Amino acid sequence: MIKQAIIPLAGQGTRLLPLSSVFAKELLPINGKPGIEYIIDECIDAGIKKIIFIISKKKKIIKDYFYNDKFYLRVIKKKKDPRIIKEYKKILKYKKMIKFVYQNKPLGTGHAVLKTQKYIKDKYFLMLLPDDLIIKHNCSKSIIKIHKKYKSSVMASMNVNKKNVSRWGIYKLEKKIDKNNFFINAVIEKPSIKQTPSNKAVIGRYILPKEIFSILQKQKPGIGGEIHITDAIQSLIKQNKKFIAHNFKGKYLDCGTMHGYIKSSMEISKL
Ligand code: G1P
């Protein structure tokens, strides 16, 4: 059973400047609700019981958002507004599920994952990248199902335009399982058009095995000088660990870029 999820939130958000210069991009509203709440709701709906947020000192505002009980209580005491009471209860529920750990240096997603090592109890855990919103279908739920069926690690994936491959982790297909699921035999972080093994991109939903921690401990920085989760996955594949790429249903919204962020509110408002 997958009961724990981790969410790296210490990224600097340079693609969303100036919106992210003094504010955490994950708290920016998407159709009136902070982006991170969509991600938490996806976890809850997928049966996740505990979520680890990896933040940095600079992103402490994220913790403040979930630890604002006293403020809510003061407001509610003066004004018994049912909407505020409902929001307060929701925040309390989230707070109970979340544990905060710190990654104070922006050394990459792999480095962020390593910070959660001592808290991961089961053999596998879920990781969600908060820039990637997937609407109309719970992608975490789907990859948990695939994991149960094949006892394998899983990553969400979608086909992208070949001219954009250097924005993504790109994988090479080994064997087709069915229309939407593939065993993969290589993955490379942000390849050039020349290097790319395909146009199949990794999207930010992963079921990862605990073994990834020992790989990450030894891993050298990759492209851009960061420790990438993609490179650790590639090492696991080399050790013959099975990884499935799952082409998810639902609509992908890239909230980490300005264009995608603006588009996401419009798309969600249509739901
Ligand atoms: C990260 C991963 C990349 C993946 C992407 C999905 O990149 O490193 O492999 O394809 O998320 O959004 P980032 O968005 O941090 O540049």
Side-chain angles (χ1 to χ4, degrees), residues 14-267:
T14 48
R15 290 183 292 222
L16 271 184
L17 283 172
L19 298 186
S20 52
S21 67
V22 292
F23 199 62
K25 62 176 175 176
E26 297 81 4
L27 293 179
L28 290 171
I30 297 176
N31 196 40
K33 171 166 141 176
I36 189 65
E37 290 194 15
Y38 292 94
I39 303 280
I40 303 174
D41 290 344
E42 178 178 329
C43 287
I44 295 173
D45 183 50
I48 295 296
K49 302 292 177 215
K50 285 277 168 210
I51 308 177
I52 303 175
F53 275 21
I54 306 131
I55 60 169
S56 61
K57 275 185 206 146
K58 277 191 187 154
K59 306 280 283 278
K60 205 186 145 278
I61 192 169
I62 298 178
K63 187 168 182 186
D64 296 343
Y65 180 79
F66 294 96
Y67 275 70
N68 220 355
D69 316 25
K70 281 187 189 145
F71 170 74
Y72 275 95
L73 287 174
R74 273 200 309 272
V75 174
I76 292 167
K77 215 173 166 186
K78 277 195 201 148
K79 200 168 136 196
K80 302 226 163 343
D81 182 335
R83 190 191 74 84
I84 300 175
I85 296 171
K86 197 172 150 214
E87 289 296 328
Y88 169 60
K89 286 189 177 153
K90 186 181 72 181
I91 295 287
L92 271 191
K93 180 174 134 194
Y94 290 159
K95 181 185 163 186
K96 280 192 192 133
M97 297 183 70
I98 304 170
K99 170 163 189 62
F100 289 84
V101 301
Y102 286 83
Q103 178 200 18
N104 286 322
K105 289 183 194 148
L107 296 179
T109 308
H111 180 254
V113 172
L114 207 43
K115 301 286 173 191
T116 67
Q117 179 168 17
K118 62 176 178 210
Y119 305 105
I120 297 296
K121 298 197 183 93
D122 301 325
K123 268 180 151 175
Y124 289 88
F125 58 97
L126 172 70
M127 174 166 82
L128 305 93
L129 301 184
D131 284 354
D132 295 345
L133 272 197
I134 299 169
I135 56 170
K136 295 185 182 168
H137 198 85
N138 190 325
C139 180
S140 293
K141 214 181 207 170
S142 303
I143 63 171
I144 289 174
K145 243 191 216 164
I146 309 269
H147 160 74
K148 268 192 203 153
K149 188 166 174 191
Y150 296 97
K151 308 272 173 287
S152 162
S153 302
V154 190
M155 304 186 286
S157 88
M158 72 178 187
N159 293 348
V160 295
N161 191 319
K162 206 155 184 175
K163 69 173 200 280
N164 299 328
V165 286
S166 64
R167 155 74 183 89
W168 313 97
I170 301 284
Y171 66 89
K172 189 171 167 206
L173 197 150
E174 183 193 19
K175 193 175 135 210
K176 189 171 172 178
I177 302 171
D178 57 41
K179 203 169 100 231
N180 294 317
N181 299 293
F182 317 96
F183 282 117
I184 71 172
N185 64 8
V187 64
I188 164 166
E189 182 68 8
K190 300 187 170 60
S192 65
I193 299 179
K194 247 185 177 174
Q195 283 177 300
T196 196
S198 74
N199 68 334
K200 296 177 177 311
V202 176
I203 299 301
R205 301 289 183 279
Y206 309 72
I207 306 275
L208 297 170
K210 232 182 174 175
E211 287 107 307
I212 201 140
F213 292 117
S214 53
I215 304 272
L216 284 167
Q217 270 164 357
K218 290 175 263 160
Q219 198 180 296
K220 303 237 159 66
I223 191 164
E226 290 187 5
I227 299 184
H228 297 286
I229 198 67
T230 312
D231 295 342
I233 293 172
Q234 170 64 13
S235 301
L236 282 173
I237 293 172
K238 273 199 177 152
Q239 294 178 6
N240 288 325
K241 293 278 178 316
K242 275 195 278 177
F243 264 86
I244 293 176
H246 168 69
N247 272 357
F248 56 91
K249 292 194 192 112
K251 192 171 172 62
Y252 170 69
L253 303 170
D254 184 3
C255 299
T257 64
M258 193 59 86
H259 174 72
Y261 170 65
I262 293 165
K263 211 175 129 200
S264 60
S265 277
M266 289 193 286
E267 288 291 339

